[in-house]
Amino acid sequence: MIEKILLAVSGLGHAEEMLKTLREIPSIQSAKVTILHVVQAQNTAATMTAKWENGGKILANAIQTLNLDPSQVSSILREGDPKDVVCQVADEIDADLIIMGSRGLKRLQSILSNSVSQYVFQLSSRPMLLVKDDIYVKRIKRIMVAIDNSDSAKNCFKLALFLLRDIQGGELILANVATDLGGKKSEITEVSSDKNPVLAAAVAEAKNQGIQSRCYISSGKPGEEICRLAEELNIDLLLLGSPDRRPSIAKNFVDIDRLIGSSLSDYVRVNATCPVLLARTIA
């Protein structure tokens, strides 16, 4: 399911470290990696030259840090608006996964600061793995999926099975949150799957693939609960289904109303204490 990875690097953050950790997973080790750095246009030729040279160094450092087989890695240095170029290159190489660093800015802050990761998240339909600057990237053993009946959650579940199938000692955590918009929280409870049809089907499929799983339920505001579960259960990677968020009328323009409005995936990407992989299902 993941054969082509696009890693967007800026010289800051944990994106390279995240890919290095991800590459320890057997099912990812044969994936081709494209490392991208985008140089924004400058006012003078001298400044532009300096930016190109620095961009080349950033790519070289990333390649050295990752220590990948030369046959599995390529690099692209391109001029333009980073948020547009990341989407363009992802389409050009038909990336199965985009990995980016994120400052964890809230929605309005992201708009005002021209956040690259937020705009790519808004416009791309491809799975994205966002790594905030302030989190600790751990070896991936315990993967959590926020599970419900949605197609995007089912897509996340399949992706989690793909990642976990060859991880020795790996564990799948299935979390089902009952919505209480009043914010009244329940205890986080480990449950048997037999009384919950959604959990039961997922557990059965995981068992068929030899993957150990555990199920938890809670109630409250979904975004807050998912983040609370991920933190209290010491999750290494959180997978969250996110419906296609691109504007239905004009796919090439950012939907400001949705960016500012309430969004589960926005809340989780900002507040989760572990890396977040957002997987989509196109509407």
Side-chain angles (χ1 to χ4, degrees):
M1 293 179 68
I2 298 179
E3 298 179 346
K4 300 174 185 176
I5 297 174
L6 175 61
L7 174 68
V9 297
S10 62
L12 302 170
H14 299 313
E16 296 96 321
E17 186 180 353
M18 185 72 245
L19 177 57
K20 202 168 182 179
T21 299
L22 202 63
R23 291 276 302 181
E24 295 177 2
I25 298 175
S27 57
I28 299 292
Q29 289 174 358
S30 62
K32 304 288 186 181
V33 177
T34 299
I35 305 174
L36 170 68
H37 179 72
V38 183
V39 177
Q40 298 189 66
Q42 302 295 316
N43 293 327
T44 67
T47 305
M48 195 68 206
T49 298
K51 287 289 185 180
W52 277 101
E53 291 176 351
N54 186 57
K57 292 177 182 177
I58 289 173
L59 284 176
N61 288 338
I63 292 171
Q64 184 178 18
T65 298
L66 294 169
N67 193 29
L68 297 176
D69 185 326
S71 67
Q72 290 184 293
V73 63
S74 60
S75 61
I76 297 176
L77 182 61
R78 188 171 293 184
E79 179 183 346
D81 186 328
K83 60 181 180 288
D84 293 329
V85 174
V86 171
C87 292
Q88 290 166 5
V89 173
D91 289 341
E92 288 172 13
I93 70 170
D94 194 20
D96 301 308
L97 178 66
I98 301 170
I99 301 178
M100 298 185 68
S102 169
R103 289 171 289 172
L105 300 178
K106 295 182 180 179
R107 289 182 293 278
L108 186 56
Q109 289 176 307
S110 296
I111 297 168
L112 297 177
S113 66
N114 202 24
S115 167
V116 176
S117 61
Q118 171 64 10
Y119 275 79
V120 173
F121 166 59
Q122 168 77 4
L123 294 176
S124 177
S125 61
R126 300 175 186 276
M128 286 187 64
L129 178 48
L130 297 176
V131 192
K132 288 195 301 179
D133 294 344
D134 60 351
I135 67 167
Y136 175 66
V137 177
K138 299 180 290 183
R139 188 177 182 185
I140 297 172
K141 286 279 191 179
R142 188 173 297 178
I143 296 178
M144 176 175 136
V145 176
I147 194 78
D148 56 27
N149 274 319
S150 69
D151 289 339
S152 55
K154 292 173 184 176
N155 192 28
C156 278
F157 172 67
K158 291 177 182 177
L159 185 54
L161 294 182
F162 168 79
L163 294 172
L164 281 164
R165 66 187 184 188
D166 295 318
I167 298 180
Q168 188 173 4
E171 186 176 34
L172 174 64
I173 303 298
L174 298 167
N176 186 237
V177 176
T179 301
D180 184 336
L181 296 180
K184 185 177 180 180
K185 296 181 179 180
S186 69
E187 293 294 323
I188 294 173
T189 306
E190 184 173 1
V191 297
S192 171
S193 64
D194 54 5
K195 295 181 180 179
N196 185 312
V198 176
L199 294 173
V203 168
E205 179 61 25
K207 186 176 181 180
N208 286 339
Q209 298 194 30
I211 295 170
Q212 180 181 352
S213 64
R214 286 192 287 151
C215 302
Y216 289 86
I217 60 170
S218 70
S219 65
K221 293 182 178 179
E224 294 179 7
E225 285 305 291
I226 289 170
C227 291
R228 182 165 74 110
L229 281 157
E231 183 171 12
E232 293 195 14
L233 298 175
N234 195 27
I235 298 301
D236 303 320
L237 177 64
L238 168 61
L239 273 64
L240 180 68
S242 176
D244 182 16
R245 303 180 70 250
R246 297 174 301 162
S248 57
I249 298 175
K251 294 288 187 179
N252 293 325
F253 296 91
V254 174
D255 187 339
I256 298 298
D257 289 338
R258 291 193 186 188
L259 277 171
I260 296 176
S262 177
S263 165
L264 170 63
S265 47
D266 273 326
Y267 183 92
V268 173
R269 72 168 181 85
V270 170
N271 293 285
T273 54
C274 64
V276 178
L277 198 162
L278 299 164
R280 299 224 180 10
T281 297
I282 302 294

